[in-house]
Structure formats: structure tokens, C-alpha cells
Amino acid sequence: MKENRQSGSLMLIELLLAIMFFAVCAAICLQIFVTARNAGERSSQLNNAVIQAQNAAECWKASGGSMTETAALLDAELTDSVLSLGFDEGWQPAETQSATFRLTMTPAAIGEADISVASAHGEIFSITAAAPYEEVTQ
Amino acid sequence: MSGTKQRGGISLVFQLLLCCIFVFCLLSVLLTGTEVYKSVSSLSQDGYDGRTCLAYIEAKLRSADGAGSLRVGDFDGHSAVFITEVYDDTEYTTTIYYYEDQVYELFTLSDVELGPEAGEPIIEAESLSFSHENGVITVTCGDKNIFYSPRSREVSE
């Protein structure tokens, strides 16, 4: 009888140890899963942000450095020489106020503009675009 | 005696319960893992689908950007971009277009007329179209698009 009880307690201790070991492993695994998911999302956001910033830079070049023409080409809002363009979660154009991602373009040196794409968590990508020198209109 | 039996029974139930919790947790972690893998894989596939085709076309346009060498138009009913280059005094045209769910590229002598089936499939895509407006070429692949402003400033229609 005593042996029976002893083997039962041993099994219980073994089981508890296994669960503890599993819990530690599971915690590490979950952390890795979350990191992988975040890295995937960041990569996707960066990918899309680069495309949008590049598009804005191309329009800036095509317009010869004119913020008004760039805004017209991108179908963006222009307030006090600052161009803003909003995107929803799927990176489709959206209202700037309710947008998940936001592209802003501010004039820098003559013929140059700073383009920045940001989410609520901060800046994702930024670039400085320069219009061809001979075509600068501002 | 009866108390010992009862304790043994409770211990067995407790062990079984622990085993069940263990299996449940194991399955949950496995399921979470597969979900995360699926989501990461889908994000990566979306990036590949959207970016690769556009990056390829953009690189092609950029590399051949010269006076009058780019033309946006129609190739046998398919929206296409024509890139003209001269090698050894002979003019060649590279046509990039969308045909049978794939992006095709056709490289021929400029005066040779071939159909869309003669091209080489490059990559699968949902759709592909080209347009030229206000000095900017717009390439749309699926739900993503890029603008390209030709440095030569000359694009024929």
C-alpha cells in the first residue's frame, strides 16, 4: 500500500515537473512567435512605405519640384506647403484624418522635399527627393 | 482503508486532469505557432506578389530610359509598355504586357510583328496595366501601383 502511494506521488511530481518545463518552453516559443509576427508586419509596412515614398518622389520629379502639382498628381491634401496623403490598413488611399498610415511631404532646400511615411507608432520610412536641377520651379 | 482508497482516486483524477491540461496547452501552443507561421507566410507572399513584378518593370524602364525609348500603348488588346533600344545600328523593342494571368516580355526586332503568345512569361500576377499622364507612367499590378517619371521626359503614346 505504502509503495503504491509512493509511486503515485512520484508520478505526480514527474508530471508537475514536465508541466513546469513545458510552461517555460511555451513561454519562450510564444515570445518567438510574437517577435516573428511583428517582424513580418514591420517588413510588410516598410515594403509598402518604400513604394509610396518612391511614388511621391517620382511625382515630385515629374512636377519639377512643385508641391501643388505633386499634390495634384498624387491626389493628396496640401496645407501650408505640406502635402499629406493617408492610407488604410491595406495601403489603399484613405482620408488623412482616419488613416492608419500617413505620408507627409515637406519642402526642404530648393528643389528638394522630405518625404516621410509614418504610422501611429512612429516613422516607418523617410527619404529626401530632389527634382532635376534644370526644371526646379520653386 | 476507505479513506486511503478515496485519496488514491482523487490523486488519479488529479493526475488525469493535469495530463489533460498539459495536452490542451500543448495543442494551443501548436495552433498558435501554425497561425503565426501562416500570417508571416501570407505577409511575405503579399510582399513578393506586390513588389517583385513592379520592381522588375521599374528596373526595366529605368535601365532603358532614353529620349523617346519608352512608349505606353496597346499590344494586341493588352495594355503594354514598349522599350526601344538600338544595338549595332539595329532597333529592338522589348514589350512588357499581361497575358493569360502572367506578365510577359517579348524582345524582337522593331519591324517584326508577333502576337502576345510569342513572349516569355516572367511572373504570375493578378493584373497589369500601364498608363501615361502628366509625364508620369503609372504601372498597376494587382492592387498596387508605382509611378515612374522618365528622366528623358519623352514618352510616346
Side-chain angles (χ1 to χ4, degrees):
Chain A
M1 189 60 91
K2 204 177 172 189
E3 258 176 40
N4 232 359
R5 264 173 65 187
Q6 242 178 359
S7 78
S9 320
L10 272 175
M11 198 181 160
L12 199 67
I13 291 167
E14 200 183 318
L15 204 58
L16 281 170
L17 279 175
I19 289 174
M20 267 169 64
F21 180 70
F22 169 77
V24 172
C25 290
I28 295 168
C29 280
L30 284 174
Q31 211 175 356
I32 292 170
F33 292 157
V34 170
T35 313
R37 196 187 156 86
N38 288 346
E41 268 172 18
R42 266 203 311 276
S43 151
S44 164
Q45 283 178 8
L46 183 63
N47 208 2
N48 284 299
V50 168
I51 293 177
Q52 298 308 335
Q54 209 175 325
N55 281 351
E58 289 291 338
C59 289
W60 175 254
K61 286 183 182 189
S63 67
S66 157
M67 201 58 93
T68 320
E69 277 181 45
T70 307
L73 283 171
L74 287 169
D75 200 14
E77 281 175 31
L78 187 64
T79 326
D80 299 330
S81 294
V82 177
L83 180 152
S84 11
L85 191 56
F87 300 96
D88 63 12
E89 281 181 0
W91 287 89
Q92 295 304 312
E95 285 289 317
T96 320
Q97 280 79 18
S98 58
T100 314
F101 304 101
R102 201 170 157 173
L103 181 147
T104 46
M105 200 165 167
T106 43
I110 296 170
E112 286 187 2
D114 290 327
I115 302 164
S116 162
V117 184
S119 70
H121 305 293
E123 189 177 86
I124 303 169
F125 182 72
S126 69
I127 192 175
T128 301
Y133 183 72
E134 67 276 10
E135 290 178 23
V136 172
T137 54
Q138 68 174 61
Chain B
M1 196 66 175
S2 159
T4 318
K5 249 186 172 177
Q6 213 177 2
R7 242 185 292 157
I10 290 170
S11 170
L12 190 72
V13 170
F14 185 63
Q15 282 171 20
L16 278 173
L17 198 73
L18 269 180
C19 259
C20 288
I21 292 171
F22 184 73
V23 170
F24 175 76
C25 291
L26 196 74
L27 284 175
S28 308
V29 172
L30 263 175
L31 281 175
T32 315
T34 50
E35 282 300 314
V36 170
Y37 178 77
K38 256 198 277 180
S39 126
V40 170
S41 155
S42 139
L43 279 172
S44 145
Q45 188 62 40
D46 283 353
Y48 175 82
D49 290 345
R51 187 82 183 121
T52 314
C53 168
L54 292 172
Y56 176 79
I57 295 168
E58 191 193 357
K60 278 275 176 186
L61 297 177
R62 215 177 275 281
S63 69
D65 191 358
S69 62
L70 300 179
R71 183 164 70 85
V72 172
D74 188 82
F75 178 57
D76 207 29
H78 306 273
S79 172
V81 67
F82 303 88
I83 303 163
T84 312
E85 286 160 298
V86 176
Y87 300 111
D88 293 332
D89 300 327
T90 314
E91 197 182 85
Y92 295 89
T93 301
T94 305
T95 311
I96 300 171
Y97 55 97
Y98 186 69
Y99 178 66
E100 288 184 345
D101 300 332
Q102 301 218 61
V103 176
Y104 269 70
E105 185 178 302
L106 177 65
F107 180 75
T108 55
L109 283 165
S110 291
D111 47 7
V112 172
E113 279 189 21
L114 291 171
E117 65 285 343
E120 200 64 44
I122 304 294
I123 189 170
E124 273 185 30
E126 253 176 68
S127 63
L128 177 73
S129 64
F130 302 92
S131 63
H132 175 236
E133 217 177 328
N134 302 319
V136 178
I137 295 175
T138 308
V139 185
T140 309
C141 183
D143 62 347
K144 289 193 169 61
N145 62 354
I146 55 158
F147 298 133
Y148 180 69
S149 158
R151 307 301 182 256
S152 58
R153 291 282 177 271
E154 281 178 40
V155 180
S156 19
E157 292 279 345

